[in-house]
mmCIF file with all atom_site columns, all heavy atoms in Angstrom:
data_model
loop_
_atom_site.group_PDB
_atom_site.id
_atom_site.type_symbol
_atom_site.label_atom_id
_atom_site.label_alt_id
_atom_site.label_comp_id
_atom_site.label_asym_id
_atom_site.label_entity_id
_atom_site.label_seq_id
_atom_site.pdbx_PDB_ins_code
_atom_site.Cartn_x
_atom_site.Cartn_y
_atom_site.Cartn_z
_atom_site.occupancy
_atom_site.B_iso_or_equiv
_atom_site.pdbx_formal_charge
_atom_site.auth_seq_id
_atom_site.auth_comp_id
_atom_site.auth_asym_id
_atom_site.auth_atom_id
_atom_site.pdbx_PDB_model_num
ATOM 1   N N   . ASP A 1 122 ? 3.570   -14.816 16.633 1.00 92.00 ? 122 ASP A N   1
ATOM 2   C CA  . ASP A 1 122 ? 3.541   -16.227 16.222 1.00 92.00 ? 122 ASP A CA  1
ATOM 3   C C   . ASP A 1 122 ? 2.291   -16.541 15.407 1.00 92.00 ? 122 ASP A C   1
ATOM 4   O O   . ASP A 1 122 ? 2.351   -17.249 14.407 1.00 92.00 ? 122 ASP A O   1
ATOM 5   C CB  . ASP A 1 122 ? 3.617   -17.153 17.438 1.00 92.00 ? 122 ASP A CB  1
ATOM 6   C CG  . ASP A 1 122 ? 4.990   -17.144 18.105 1.00 92.00 ? 122 ASP A CG  1
ATOM 7   O OD1 . ASP A 1 122 ? 5.972   -16.763 17.431 1.00 92.00 ? 122 ASP A OD1 1
ATOM 8   O OD2 . ASP A 1 122 ? 5.062   -17.519 19.288 1.00 92.00 ? 122 ASP A OD2 1
ATOM 9   N N   . ALA A 1 123 ? 1.152   -16.003 15.848 1.00 88.00 ? 123 ALA A N   1
ATOM 10  C CA  . ALA A 1 123 ? -0.102  -16.233 15.123 1.00 88.00 ? 123 ALA A CA  1
ATOM 11  C C   . ALA A 1 123 ? -0.040  -15.592 13.736 1.00 88.00 ? 123 ALA A C   1
ATOM 12  O O   . ALA A 1 123 ? -0.539  -16.162 12.762 1.00 88.00 ? 123 ALA A O   1
ATOM 13  C CB  . ALA A 1 123 ? -1.280  -15.682 15.915 1.00 88.00 ? 123 ALA A CB  1
ATOM 14  N N   . GLN A 1 124 ? 0.579   -14.415 13.638 1.00 90.00 ? 124 GLN A N   1
ATOM 15  C CA  . GLN A 1 124 ? 0.725   -13.749 12.346 1.00 90.00 ? 124 GLN A CA  1
ATOM 16  C C   . GLN A 1 124 ? 1.590   -14.591 11.406 1.00 90.00 ? 124 GLN A C   1
ATOM 17  O O   . GLN A 1 124 ? 1.241   -14.787 10.250 1.00 90.00 ? 124 GLN A O   1
ATOM 18  C CB  . GLN A 1 124 ? 1.336   -12.354 12.524 1.00 90.00 ? 124 GLN A CB  1
ATOM 19  C CG  . GLN A 1 124 ? 0.402   -11.360 13.158 1.00 90.00 ? 124 GLN A CG  1
ATOM 20  C CD  . GLN A 1 124 ? 1.041   -9.993  13.367 1.00 90.00 ? 124 GLN A CD  1
ATOM 21  O OE1 . GLN A 1 124 ? 2.195   -9.777  13.033 1.00 90.00 ? 124 GLN A OE1 1
ATOM 22  N NE2 . GLN A 1 124 ? 0.276   -9.069  13.929 1.00 90.00 ? 124 GLN A NE2 1
ATOM 23  N N   . LYS A 1 125 ? 2.718   -15.085 11.914 1.00 91.00 ? 125 LYS A N   1
ATOM 24  C CA  . LYS A 1 125 ? 3.600   -15.918 11.091 1.00 91.00 ? 125 LYS A CA  1
ATOM 25  C C   . LYS A 1 125 ? 2.900   -17.179 10.630 1.00 91.00 ? 125 LYS A C   1
ATOM 26  O O   . LYS A 1 125 ? 3.030   -17.595 9.473  1.00 91.00 ? 125 LYS A O   1
ATOM 27  C CB  . LYS A 1 125 ? 4.872   -16.278 11.872 1.00 91.00 ? 125 LYS A CB  1
ATOM 28  C CG  . LYS A 1 125 ? 5.842   -15.140 12.020 1.00 91.00 ? 125 LYS A CG  1
ATOM 29  C CD  . LYS A 1 125 ? 7.072   -15.570 12.804 1.00 91.00 ? 125 LYS A CD  1
ATOM 30  C CE  . LYS A 1 125 ? 7.983   -14.392 13.051 1.00 91.00 ? 125 LYS A CE  1
ATOM 31  N NZ  . LYS A 1 125 ? 9.136   -14.760 13.889 1.00 91.00 ? 125 LYS A NZ  1
ATOM 32  N N   . GLU A 1 126 ? 2.164   -17.810 11.536 1.00 89.00 ? 126 GLU A N   1
ATOM 33  C CA  . GLU A 1 126 ? 1.442   -19.033 11.190 1.00 89.00 ? 126 GLU A CA  1
ATOM 34  C C   . GLU A 1 126 ? 0.382   -18.766 10.120 1.00 89.00 ? 126 GLU A C   1
ATOM 35  O O   . GLU A 1 126 ? 0.252   -19.520 9.152  1.00 89.00 ? 126 GLU A O   1
ATOM 36  C CB  . GLU A 1 126 ? 0.777   -19.609 12.448 1.00 89.00 ? 126 GLU A CB  1
ATOM 37  C CG  . GLU A 1 126 ? 0.070   -20.926 12.221 1.00 89.00 ? 126 GLU A CG  1
ATOM 38  C CD  . GLU A 1 126 ? -0.572  -21.448 13.502 1.00 89.00 ? 126 GLU A CD  1
ATOM 39  O OE1 . GLU A 1 126 ? -0.073  -21.153 14.602 1.00 89.00 ? 126 GLU A OE1 1
ATOM 40  O OE2 . GLU A 1 126 ? -1.593  -22.156 13.372 1.00 89.00 ? 126 GLU A OE2 1
ATOM 41  N N   . LEU A 1 127 ? -0.348  -17.673 10.271 1.00 87.00 ? 127 LEU A N   1
ATOM 42  C CA  . LEU A 1 127 ? -1.373  -17.302 9.299  1.00 87.00 ? 127 LEU A CA  1
ATOM 43  C C   . LEU A 1 127 ? -0.752  -17.011 7.939  1.00 87.00 ? 127 LEU A C   1
ATOM 44  O O   . LEU A 1 127 ? -1.240  -17.483 6.905  1.00 87.00 ? 127 LEU A O   1
ATOM 45  C CB  . LEU A 1 127 ? -2.168  -16.089 9.795  1.00 87.00 ? 127 LEU A CB  1
ATOM 46  C CG  . LEU A 1 127 ? -3.304  -15.607 8.911  1.00 87.00 ? 127 LEU A CG  1
ATOM 47  C CD1 . LEU A 1 127 ? -4.359  -16.695 8.739  1.00 87.00 ? 127 LEU A CD1 1
ATOM 48  C CD2 . LEU A 1 127 ? -3.934  -14.365 9.511  1.00 87.00 ? 127 LEU A CD2 1
ATOM 49  N N   . GLU A 1 128 ? 0.340   -16.241 7.922  1.00 89.00 ? 128 GLU A N   1
ATOM 50  C CA  . GLU A 1 128 ? 1.025   -15.931 6.665  1.00 89.00 ? 128 GLU A CA  1
ATOM 51  C C   . GLU A 1 128 ? 1.526   -17.203 5.990  1.00 89.00 ? 128 GLU A C   1
ATOM 52  O O   . GLU A 1 128 ? 1.411   -17.348 4.775  1.00 89.00 ? 128 GLU A O   1
ATOM 53  C CB  . GLU A 1 128 ? 2.178   -14.958 6.910  1.00 89.00 ? 128 GLU A CB  1
ATOM 54  C CG  . GLU A 1 128 ? 1.708   -13.554 7.206  1.00 89.00 ? 128 GLU A CG  1
ATOM 55  C CD  . GLU A 1 128 ? 2.823   -12.590 7.555  1.00 89.00 ? 128 GLU A CD  1
ATOM 56  O OE1 . GLU A 1 128 ? 4.006   -12.905 7.311  1.00 89.00 ? 128 GLU A OE1 1
ATOM 57  O OE2 . GLU A 1 128 ? 2.510   -11.506 8.081  1.00 89.00 ? 128 GLU A OE2 1
ATOM 58  N N   . ALA A 1 129 ? 2.058   -18.134 6.768  1.00 89.00 ? 129 ALA A N   1
ATOM 59  C CA  . ALA A 1 129 ? 2.563   -19.391 6.210  1.00 89.00 ? 129 ALA A CA  1
ATOM 60  C C   . ALA A 1 129 ? 1.425   -20.212 5.596  1.00 89.00 ? 129 ALA A C   1
ATOM 61  O O   . ALA A 1 129 ? 1.566   -20.754 4.496  1.00 89.00 ? 129 ALA A O   1
ATOM 62  C CB  . ALA A 1 129 ? 3.283   -20.197 7.286  1.00 89.00 ? 129 ALA A CB  1
ATOM 63  N N   . LYS A 1 130 ? 0.290   -20.279 6.282  1.00 88.00 ? 130 LYS A N   1
ATOM 64  C CA  . LYS A 1 130 ? -0.856  -21.048 5.769  1.00 88.00 ? 130 LYS A CA  1
ATOM 65  C C   . LYS A 1 130 ? -1.387  -20.452 4.468  1.00 88.00 ? 130 LYS A C   1
ATOM 66  O O   . LYS A 1 130 ? -1.615  -21.161 3.496  1.00 88.00 ? 130 LYS A O   1
ATOM 67  C CB  . LYS A 1 130 ? -1.979  -21.102 6.807  1.00 88.00 ? 130 LYS A CB  1
ATOM 68  C CG  . LYS A 1 130 ? -1.729  -22.070 7.926  1.00 88.00 ? 130 LYS A CG  1
ATOM 69  C CD  . LYS A 1 130 ? -2.897  -22.089 8.888  1.00 88.00 ? 130 LYS A CD  1
ATOM 70  C CE  . LYS A 1 130 ? -2.632  -23.028 10.040 1.00 88.00 ? 130 LYS A CE  1
ATOM 71  N NZ  . LYS A 1 130 ? -3.742  -23.039 11.006 1.00 88.00 ? 130 LYS A NZ  1
ATOM 72  N N   . VAL A 1 131 ? -1.590  -19.141 4.466  1.00 88.00 ? 131 VAL A N   1
ATOM 73  C CA  . VAL A 1 131 ? -2.133  -18.478 3.271  1.00 88.00 ? 131 VAL A CA  1
ATOM 74  C C   . VAL A 1 131 ? -1.135  -18.574 2.123  1.00 88.00 ? 131 VAL A C   1
ATOM 75  O O   . VAL A 1 131 ? -1.509  -18.838 0.976  1.00 88.00 ? 131 VAL A O   1
ATOM 76  C CB  . VAL A 1 131 ? -2.507  -17.008 3.577  1.00 88.00 ? 131 VAL A CB  1
ATOM 77  C CG1 . VAL A 1 131 ? -2.914  -16.272 2.308  1.00 88.00 ? 131 VAL A CG1 1
ATOM 78  C CG2 . VAL A 1 131 ? -3.633  -16.950 4.600  1.00 88.00 ? 131 VAL A CG2 1
ATOM 79  N N   . SER A 1 132 ? 0.133   -18.409 2.428  1.00 88.00 ? 132 SER A N   1
ATOM 80  C CA  . SER A 1 132 ? 1.182   -18.510 1.412  1.00 88.00 ? 132 SER A CA  1
ATOM 81  C C   . SER A 1 132 ? 1.206   -19.899 0.789  1.00 88.00 ? 132 SER A C   1
ATOM 82  O O   . SER A 1 132 ? 1.335   -20.053 -0.427 1.00 88.00 ? 132 SER A O   1
ATOM 83  C CB  . SER A 1 132 ? 2.541   -18.182 2.032  1.00 88.00 ? 132 SER A CB  1
ATOM 84  O OG  . SER A 1 132 ? 3.549   -18.250 1.072  1.00 88.00 ? 132 SER A OG  1
ATOM 85  N N   . LYS A 1 133 ? 1.039   -20.909 1.617  1.00 88.00 ? 133 LYS A N   1
ATOM 86  C CA  . LYS A 1 133 ? 1.035   -22.293 1.125  1.00 88.00 ? 133 LYS A CA  1
ATOM 87  C C   . LYS A 1 133 ? -0.196  -22.567 0.256  1.00 88.00 ? 133 LYS A C   1
ATOM 88  O O   . LYS A 1 133 ? -0.093  -23.181 -0.804 1.00 88.00 ? 133 LYS A O   1
ATOM 89  C CB  . LYS A 1 133 ? 1.074   -23.268 2.300  1.00 88.00 ? 133 LYS A CB  1
ATOM 90  C CG  . LYS A 1 133 ? 1.190   -24.711 1.893  1.00 88.00 ? 133 LYS A CG  1
ATOM 91  C CD  . LYS A 1 133 ? 1.309   -25.626 3.083  1.00 88.00 ? 133 LYS A CD  1
ATOM 92  C CE  . LYS A 1 133 ? 1.424   -27.066 2.617  1.00 88.00 ? 133 LYS A CE  1
ATOM 93  N NZ  . LYS A 1 133 ? 1.514   -27.989 3.750  1.00 88.00 ? 133 LYS A NZ  1
ATOM 94  N N   . ILE A 1 134 ? -1.333  -22.085 0.684  1.00 85.00 ? 134 ILE A N   1
ATOM 95  C CA  . ILE A 1 134 ? -2.577  -22.303 -0.073 1.00 85.00 ? 134 ILE A CA  1
ATOM 96  C C   . ILE A 1 134 ? -2.506  -21.616 -1.437 1.00 85.00 ? 134 ILE A C   1
ATOM 97  O O   . ILE A 1 134 ? -2.865  -22.198 -2.457 1.00 85.00 ? 134 ILE A O   1
ATOM 98  C CB  . ILE A 1 134 ? -3.802  -21.797 0.722  1.00 85.00 ? 134 ILE A CB  1
ATOM 99  C CG1 . ILE A 1 134 ? -4.047  -22.689 1.934  1.00 85.00 ? 134 ILE A CG1 1
ATOM 100 C CG2 . ILE A 1 134 ? -5.049  -21.747 -0.158 1.00 85.00 ? 134 ILE A CG2 1
ATOM 101 C CD1 . ILE A 1 134 ? -5.055  -22.140 2.925  1.00 85.00 ? 134 ILE A CD1 1
ATOM 102 N N   . LEU A 1 135 ? -2.035  -20.356 -1.463 1.00 85.00 ? 135 LEU A N   1
ATOM 103 C CA  . LEU A 1 135 ? -2.001  -19.589 -2.707 1.00 85.00 ? 135 LEU A CA  1
ATOM 104 C C   . LEU A 1 135 ? -0.722  -19.818 -3.502 1.00 85.00 ? 135 LEU A C   1
ATOM 105 O O   . LEU A 1 135 ? -0.630  -19.397 -4.650 1.00 85.00 ? 135 LEU A O   1
ATOM 106 C CB  . LEU A 1 135 ? -2.164  -18.099 -2.416 1.00 85.00 ? 135 LEU A CB  1
ATOM 107 C CG  . LEU A 1 135 ? -3.500  -17.669 -1.817 1.00 85.00 ? 135 LEU A CG  1
ATOM 108 C CD1 . LEU A 1 135 ? -3.506  -16.174 -1.555 1.00 85.00 ? 135 LEU A CD1 1
ATOM 109 C CD2 . LEU A 1 135 ? -4.663  -18.067 -2.694 1.00 85.00 ? 135 LEU A CD2 1
ATOM 110 N N   . ASN A 1 136 ? 0.256   -20.442 -2.885 1.00 85.00 ? 136 ASN A N   1
ATOM 111 C CA  . ASN A 1 136 ? 1.551   -20.707 -3.509 1.00 85.00 ? 136 ASN A CA  1
ATOM 112 C C   . ASN A 1 136 ? 2.192   -19.396 -4.001 1.00 85.00 ? 136 ASN A C   1
ATOM 113 O O   . ASN A 1 136 ? 2.686   -19.317 -5.127 1.00 85.00 ? 136 ASN A O   1
ATOM 114 C CB  . ASN A 1 136 ? 1.419   -21.724 -4.645 1.00 85.00 ? 136 ASN A CB  1
ATOM 115 C CG  . ASN A 1 136 ? 2.748   -22.322 -5.033 1.00 85.00 ? 136 ASN A CG  1
ATOM 116 O OD1 . ASN A 1 136 ? 3.671   -22.360 -4.226 1.00 85.00 ? 136 ASN A OD1 1
ATOM 117 N ND2 . ASN A 1 136 ? 2.856   -22.766 -6.271 1.00 85.00 ? 136 ASN A ND2 1
ATOM 118 N N   . LYS A 1 137 ? 2.156   -18.378 -3.133 1.00 85.00 ? 137 LYS A N   1
ATOM 119 C CA  . LYS A 1 137 ? 2.724   -17.064 -3.437 1.00 85.00 ? 137 LYS A CA  1
ATOM 120 C C   . LYS A 1 137 ? 3.354   -16.497 -2.180 1.00 85.00 ? 137 LYS A C   1
ATOM 121 O O   . LYS A 1 137 ? 3.026   -16.902 -1.070 1.00 85.00 ? 137 LYS A O   1
ATOM 122 C CB  . LYS A 1 137 ? 1.638   -16.084 -3.908 1.00 85.00 ? 137 LYS A CB  1
ATOM 123 C CG  . LYS A 1 137 ? 0.976   -16.452 -5.207 1.00 85.00 ? 137 LYS A CG  1
ATOM 124 C CD  . LYS A 1 137 ? -0.042  -15.412 -5.592 1.00 85.00 ? 137 LYS A CD  1
ATOM 125 C CE  . LYS A 1 137 ? -0.677  -15.763 -6.926 1.00 85.00 ? 137 LYS A CE  1
ATOM 126 N NZ  . LYS A 1 137 ? -1.596  -14.723 -7.368 1.00 85.00 ? 137 LYS A NZ  1
ATOM 127 N N   . LYS A 1 138 ? 4.262   -15.517 -2.390 1.00 89.00 ? 138 LYS A N   1
ATOM 128 C CA  . LYS A 1 138 ? 4.768   -14.763 -1.248 1.00 89.00 ? 138 LYS A CA  1
ATOM 129 C C   . LYS A 1 138 ? 3.654   -13.820 -0.804 1.00 89.00 ? 138 LYS A C   1
ATOM 130 O O   . LYS A 1 138 ? 3.038   -13.150 -1.627 1.00 89.00 ? 138 LYS A O   1
ATOM 131 C CB  . LYS A 1 138 ? 5.999   -13.943 -1.629 1.00 89.00 ? 138 LYS A CB  1
ATOM 132 C CG  . LYS A 1 138 ? 7.266   -14.741 -1.723 1.00 89.00 ? 138 LYS A CG  1
ATOM 133 C CD  . LYS A 1 138 ? 8.493   -13.844 -1.740 1.00 89.00 ? 138 LYS A CD  1
ATOM 134 C CE  . LYS A 1 138 ? 8.794   -13.373 -3.133 1.00 89.00 ? 138 LYS A CE  1
ATOM 135 N NZ  . LYS A 1 138 ? 10.027  -12.575 -3.208 1.00 89.00 ? 138 LYS A NZ  1
ATOM 136 N N   . ILE A 1 139 ? 3.430   -13.776 0.479  1.00 88.00 ? 139 ILE A N   1
ATOM 137 C CA  . ILE A 1 139 ? 2.319   -12.999 1.022  1.00 88.00 ? 139 ILE A CA  1
ATOM 138 C C   . ILE A 1 139 ? 2.847   -11.938 1.978  1.00 88.00 ? 139 ILE A C   1
ATOM 139 O O   . ILE A 1 139 ? 3.732   -12.210 2.789  1.00 88.00 ? 139 ILE A O   1
ATOM 140 C CB  . ILE A 1 139 ? 1.350   -13.920 1.806  1.00 88.00 ? 139 ILE A CB  1
ATOM 141 C CG1 . ILE A 1 139 ? 0.836   -15.062 0.953  1.00 88.00 ? 139 ILE A CG1 1
ATOM 142 C CG2 . ILE A 1 139 ? 0.199   -13.141 2.411  1.00 88.00 ? 139 ILE A CG2 1
ATOM 143 C CD1 . ILE A 1 139 ? -0.004  -14.651 -0.214 1.00 88.00 ? 139 ILE A CD1 1
ATOM 144 N N   . VAL A 1 140 ? 2.289   -10.737 1.876  1.00 88.00 ? 140 VAL A N   1
ATOM 145 C CA  . VAL A 1 140 ? 2.547   -9.673  2.847  1.00 88.00 ? 140 VAL A CA  1
ATOM 146 C C   . VAL A 1 140 ? 1.181   -9.225  3.356  1.00 88.00 ? 140 VAL A C   1
ATOM 147 O O   . VAL A 1 140 ? 0.336   -8.778  2.578  1.00 88.00 ? 140 VAL A O   1
ATOM 148 C CB  . VAL A 1 140 ? 3.304   -8.487  2.211  1.00 88.00 ? 140 VAL A CB  1
ATOM 149 C CG1 . VAL A 1 140 ? 3.441   -7.351  3.205  1.00 88.00 ? 140 VAL A CG1 1
ATOM 150 C CG2 . VAL A 1 140 ? 4.667   -8.931  1.705  1.00 88.00 ? 140 VAL A CG2 1
ATOM 151 N N   . LEU A 1 141 ? 0.986   -9.382  4.650  1.00 90.00 ? 141 LEU A N   1
ATOM 152 C CA  . LEU A 1 141 ? -0.303  -9.049  5.247  1.00 90.00 ? 141 LEU A CA  1
ATOM 153 C C   . LEU A 1 141 ? -0.185  -7.843  6.168  1.00 90.00 ? 141 LEU A C   1
ATOM 154 O O   . LEU A 1 141 ? 0.827   -7.666  6.841  1.00 90.00 ? 141 LEU A O   1
ATOM 155 C CB  . LEU A 1 141 ? -0.834  -10.244 6.052  1.00 90.00 ? 141 LEU A CB  1
ATOM 156 C CG  . LEU A 1 141 ? -1.092  -11.527 5.271  1.00 90.00 ? 141 LEU A CG  1
ATOM 157 C CD1 . LEU A 1 141 ? -1.478  -12.660 6.215  1.00 90.00 ? 141 LEU A CD1 1
ATOM 158 C CD2 . LEU A 1 141 ? -2.183  -11.320 4.241  1.00 90.00 ? 141 LEU A CD2 1
ATOM 159 N N   . THR A 1 142 ? -1.235  -7.036  6.168  1.00 89.00 ? 142 THR A N   1
ATOM 160 C CA  . THR A 1 142 ? -1.347  -5.964  7.149  1.00 89.00 ? 142 THR A CA  1
ATOM 161 C C   . THR A 1 142 ? -2.474  -6.358  8.096  1.00 89.00 ? 142 THR A C   1
ATOM 162 O O   . THR A 1 142 ? -3.452  -6.995  7.679  1.00 89.00 ? 142 THR A O   1
ATOM 163 C CB  . THR A 1 142 ? -1.660  -4.601  6.497  1.00 89.00 ? 142 THR A CB  1
ATOM 164 O OG1 . THR A 1 142 ? -2.840  -4.716  5.700  1.00 89.00 ? 142 THR A OG1 1
ATOM 165 C CG2 . THR A 1 142 ? -0.514  -4.125  5.635  1.00 89.00 ? 142 THR A CG2 1
ATOM 166 N N   . TYR A 1 143 ? -2.317  -5.986  9.332  1.00 92.00 ? 143 TYR A N   1
ATOM 167 C CA  . TYR A 1 143 ? -3.252  -6.439  10.366 1.00 92.00 ? 143 TYR A CA  1
ATOM 168 C C   . TYR A 1 143 ? -4.030  -5.266  10.929 1.00 92.00 ? 143 TYR A C   1
ATOM 169 O O   . TYR A 1 143 ? -3.470  -4.203  11.197 1.00 92.00 ? 143 TYR A O   1
ATOM 170 C CB  . TYR A 1 143 ? -2.477  -7.154  11.475 1.00 92.00 ? 143 TYR A CB  1
ATOM 171 C CG  . TYR A 1 143 ? -1.810  -8.408  10.966 1.00 92.00 ? 143 TYR A CG  1
ATOM 172 C CD1 . TYR A 1 143 ? -0.543  -8.362  10.398 1.00 92.00 ? 143 TYR A CD1 1
ATOM 173 C CD2 . TYR A 1 143 ? -2.473  -9.616  10.993 1.00 92.00 ? 143 TYR A CD2 1
ATOM 174 C CE1 . TYR A 1 143 ? 0.058   -9.507  9.892  1.00 92.00 ? 143 TYR A CE1 1
ATOM 175 C CE2 . TYR A 1 143 ? -1.881  -10.765 10.493 1.00 92.00 ? 143 TYR A CE2 1
ATOM 176 C CZ  . TYR A 1 143 ? -0.622  -10.701 9.943  1.00 92.00 ? 143 TYR A CZ  1
ATOM 177 O OH  . TYR A 1 143 ? -0.035  -11.833 9.426  1.00 92.00 ? 143 TYR A OH  1
ATOM 178 N N   . GLN A 1 144 ? -5.345  -5.507  11.111 1.00 92.00 ? 144 GLN A N   1
ATOM 179 C CA  . GLN A 1 144 ? -6.229  -4.481  11.657 1.00 92.00 ? 144 GLN A CA  1
ATOM 180 C C   . GLN A 1 144 ? -7.091  -5.120  12.731 1.00 92.00 ? 144 GLN A C   1
ATOM 181 O O   . GLN A 1 144 ? -7.505  -6.278  12.597 1.00 92.00 ? 144 GLN A O   1
ATOM 182 C CB  . GLN A 1 144 ? -7.152  -3.923  10.573 1.00 92.00 ? 144 GLN A CB  1
ATOM 183 C CG  . GLN A 1 144 ? -6.471  -3.355  9.369  1.00 92.00 ? 144 GLN A CG  1
ATOM 184 C CD  . GLN A 1 144 ? -7.443  -3.093  8.228  1.00 92.00 ? 144 GLN A CD  1
ATOM 185 O OE1 . GLN A 1 144 ? -8.588  -3.533  8.255  1.00 92.00 ? 144 GLN A OE1 1
ATOM 186 N NE2 . GLN A 1 144 ? -6.978  -2.367  7.228  1.00 92.00 ? 144 GLN A NE2 1
ATOM 187 N N   . GLN A 1 145 ? -7.365  -4.348  13.747 1.00 90.00 ? 145 GLN A N   1
ATOM 188 C CA  . GLN A 1 145 ? -8.285  -4.820  14.775 1.00 90.00 ? 145 GLN A CA  1
ATOM 189 C C   . GLN A 1 145 ? -9.681  -4.366  14.374 1.00 90.00 ? 145 GLN A C   1
ATOM 190 O O   . GLN A 1 145 ? -9.884  -3.205  14.016 1.00 90.00 ? 145 GLN A O   1
ATOM 191 C CB  . GLN A 1 145 ? -7.901  -4.263  16.134 1.00 90.00 ? 145 GLN A CB  1
ATOM 192 C CG  . GLN A 1 145 ? -8.640  -4.913  17.266 1.00 90.00 ? 145 GLN A CG  1
ATOM 193 C CD  . GLN A 1 145 ? -8.099  -4.489  18.626 1.00 90.00 ? 145 GLN A CD  1
ATOM 194 O OE1 . GLN A 1 145 ? -7.039  -3.895  18.722 1.00 90.00 ? 145 GLN A OE1 1
ATOM 195 N NE2 . GLN A 1 145 ? -8.842  -4.792  19.663 1.00 90.00 ? 145 GLN A NE2 1
ATOM 196 N N   . ASP A 1 146 ? -10.643 -5.287  14.393 1.00 88.00 ? 146 ASP A N   1
ATOM 197 C CA  . ASP A 1 146 ? -12.011 -4.983  13.992 1.00 88.00 ? 146 ASP A CA  1
ATOM 198 C C   . ASP A 1 146 ? -12.948 -5.310  15.148 1.00 88.00 ? 146 ASP A C   1
ATOM 199 O O   . ASP A 1 146 ? -13.242 -6.481  15.407 1.00 88.00 ? 146 ASP A O   1
ATOM 200 C CB  . ASP A 1 146 ? -12.395 -5.795  12.755 1.00 88.00 ? 146 ASP A CB  1
ATOM 201 C CG  . ASP A 1 146 ? -13.753 -5.421  12.195 1.00 88.00 ? 146 ASP A CG  1
ATOM 202 O OD1 . ASP A 1 146 ? -14.494 -4.650  12.852 1.00 88.00 ? 146 ASP A OD1 1
ATOM 203 O OD2 . ASP A 1 146 ? -14.085 -5.898  11.095 1.00 88.00 ? 146 ASP A OD2 1
#
Side-chain angles (χ1 to χ4, degrees):
D122 289 339
Q124 289 178 0
K125 286 180 185 176
E126 184 180 331
L127 182 61
E128 287 176 15
K130 283 181 182 179
V131 173
S132 181
K133 185 177 180 181
I134 291 169
L135 295 179
N136 197 25
K137 295 181 178 184
K138 282 195 275 184
I139 304 296
V140 175
L141 299 174
T142 55
Y143 296 87
Q144 304 168 348
Q145 191 172 348
D146 186 351

